[in-house]
Amino acid sequence: MKQLRKSMVAVAVLGMTLTGAVGVYAGANLEKISAYLNHSIGIKVEGTAYNTGGKLTPITYKNTTYLPVRAIADVLNVPVQYDAKNNQVLIGSHSGNGQTSELTTVKYSDAQLKEIKSAFAKFDGFTTPYAPNQMIQGDVYQKTGTSEDGVNMVFKHMTVYISPRDYSHGYDSTPVTLSNGTKAKWYTPDDTAMLGFQFHDRYVTISSPDHSLSKAQLEKVAVSVAQVK
C-alpha cells in the first residue's frame, strides 16, 4: 500500500482543488494551456472503484493524465494541505508546516459547554448533549448552533452535525469500520466528503468544509464523540 501511495501521488497534481490556491497561482506564475477534462477515466484502488463525486475530473494534457490531489489523498487516507505562504502542496502527516494527524483534547470552556448543552436542550427527546472530546492538533472549536432537526458544532477545520436523521440516505456510500469497531460510511453529496455513523439514538455526520482534514483524520476524531458531562 505504501508503494501504491507513492506511485499515485507522484502523478497527481493540485488542479486548483485546495482552498486558496487560485489566488496564489494568479499572476506571473500562471501559464495558459489547452487541456481536456477526461470524463471517461475513473479511479480504481486495489480493485475497488472510487467515486470522486463528479467534480474532480482527471485532466489529459499532452498525452499525460493528471489526477486531482484532493481526491487521491482522500482515497488513500493521506493528509494534504496547501501552504499559501510557501506556495507548496503538502502531502502526508509531517510535511514540514507543522500539520499533523495527532489528536489533542478539546478543552471546552464553561461558557462553551453551556452553549452546547443549551443547543441540545431545544429538542424534545433529544436533550442529551454529545460532542467530540478530541480534535486534530491545530484545529479550534468555534461555536455550536441548531437547525430544524439537529445540532451543528463548528470548528476551524471541521463540522460535527448530530441529528436523529441519517443524512446519508439516498447517496452512494463506502462503508468503513472505525478503530473502536463502530460501523460508519463515507458519502459525498457535493464536493465535500461526509463521514456518517449511528451513535446511540442519533446520527453523527463529520466533514471538513475547507478540505484541510483527510478522511483518516476525521475518522480519528469520530471515535472521540461522547456524552458531554
Side-chain angles (χ1 to χ4, degrees):
M1 188 63 177
K2 290 183 178 179
Q3 183 60 37
L4 175 63
R5 290 181 179 181
K6 290 180 180 180
S7 61
M8 293 191 72
V9 169
V11 298
V13 293
L14 180 59
M16 298 303 181
T17 62
L18 294 175
T19 303
V22 175
V24 174
Y25 279 111
N29 293 328
L30 188 64
E31 180 181 353
K32 185 177 180 179
I33 64 172
S34 179
Y36 296 90
L37 292 175
N38 198 332
H39 297 282
S40 64
I41 294 180
I43 299 174
K44 183 176 287 188
V45 178
E46 295 186 338
T48 300
Y50 177 69
N51 183 6
T52 63
K55 295 186 178 182
L56 300 177
T57 305
I59 292 175
T60 297
Y61 174 64
K62 291 186 176 181
N63 297 319
T64 299
T65 297
Y66 297 85
L67 306 178
V69 164
R70 175 61 59 191
I72 298 303
D74 281 347
V75 74
L76 297 178
N77 278 338
V78 177
V80 59
Q81 294 91 25
Y82 180 71
D83 180 0
K85 181 179 179 180
N86 297 305
N87 290 357
Q88 292 181 327
V89 179
L90 307 173
I91 301 172
S93 300
H94 303 283
S95 303
N97 71 330
Q99 296 290 342
T100 177
S101 290
E102 294 301 317
L103 294 173
T104 185
T105 300
V106 184
K107 297 179 180 179
Y108 300 105
S109 67
D110 290 340
Q112 291 170 340
L113 289 174
K114 182 179 179 180
E115 178 184 57
I116 294 170
K117 293 177 181 179
S118 296
F120 280 93
K122 296 179 180 180
F123 299 92
D124 292 335
F126 187 58
T127 57
T128 301
Y130 290 88
N133 285 326
Q134 295 183 308
M135 60 186 176
I136 299 299
Q137 288 184 10
D139 208 351
V140 179
Y141 170 77
Q142 296 181 329
K143 62 181 179 180
T144 293
T146 60
S147 68
E148 293 183 356
D149 62 355
V151 174
N152 193 44
M153 303 187 65
V154 180
F155 291 73
K156 182 179 180 181
H157 297 305
M158 70 174 177
T159 61
V160 180
Y161 192 73
I162 304 175
S163 168
R165 176 182 174 185
D166 181 5
Y167 279 90
S168 68
H169 182 71
Y171 293 103
D172 293 335
S173 61
T174 302
V176 62
T177 301
L178 304 180
S179 62
N180 63 351
T182 298
K183 301 296 183 182
K185 51 187 172 182
W186 282 103
Y187 63 102
T188 309
D190 47 37
D191 63 346
T192 299
M194 305 281 186
L195 176 65
F197 59 96
Q198 186 171 1
F199 189 76
H200 297 316
D201 60 344
R202 61 205 68 190
Y203 292 89
V204 180
T205 304
I206 302 181
S207 64
S208 179
D210 67 359
H211 297 174
S212 64
L213 301 182
S214 70
K215 288 184 175 181
Q217 290 172 315
L218 292 176
E219 288 175 13
K220 287 186 176 182
V221 173
V223 176
S224 75
V225 174
Q227 182 177 344
V228 175
K229 302 297 184 180

